[in-house]
Amino acid sequence: MIHQHGCECNSYGCQLRRKGITVAASATPSRGKRGKPAEHTNNSWEKGIAGEHRGHGTFMPYLNDKGKPMTIKQGSEQRHKIKDIRTSQRAGTFFKT
């Protein structure tokens, strides 16, 4: 039951209101004030090595321009370039210059 603002009964809520003690709006739960989720900028999957598993069970990493294995993050950022290179290799038209 919600009492009026000037209520003089002996209920606990009315006694607190008379003393000037109220509950802050931030202390009450609400569904509309959810914060955005935290950004995970250092995901562990990005640290893995990008590559492909061949039919006989071996893993072939993708190499960057310096000849080092590419991380998954680099591989996902350059996925279109990698796809074009792999397509030309399968077609037999790839010649590295």
Side-chain angles (χ1 to χ4, degrees):
M1 180 171 154
I2 298 175
H3 297 265
Q4 295 297 327
H5 185 54
C7 181
E8 295 293 328
C9 71
N10 288 329
S11 69
Y12 183 68
C14 292
Q15 290 174 3
L16 289 178
R17 194 177 302 133
R18 280 194 299 272
K19 292 178 183 179
I21 300 172
T22 58
V23 178
S26 62
T28 59
S30 65
R31 292 184 181 199
K33 286 191 163 188
R34 291 184 182 158
K36 68 176 189 174
E39 292 184 24
H40 299 288
T41 56
N42 195 7
N43 292 325
S44 62
W45 70 270
E46 294 175 348
K47 295 178 183 176
I49 296 176
E52 58 185 46
H53 293 278
R54 299 289 170 93
H56 53 281
T58 59
F59 178 74
M60 294 295 295
Y62 296 136
L63 303 178
N64 60 14
D65 296 334
K66 296 178 181 177
K68 303 258 182 188
M70 240 184 229
T71 63
I72 290 181
K73 183 173 181 174
Q74 292 170 337
S76 65
E77 290 171 351
Q78 299 179 9
R79 66 185 180 278
H80 299 295
K81 179 180 173 184
I82 293 170
K83 180 184 172 194
D84 293 340
I85 291 171
R86 291 296 293 144
T87 303
S88 65
Q89 284 176 341
R90 288 186 185 120
T93 59
F94 178 76
F95 296 103
K96 187 166 184 166
T97 58

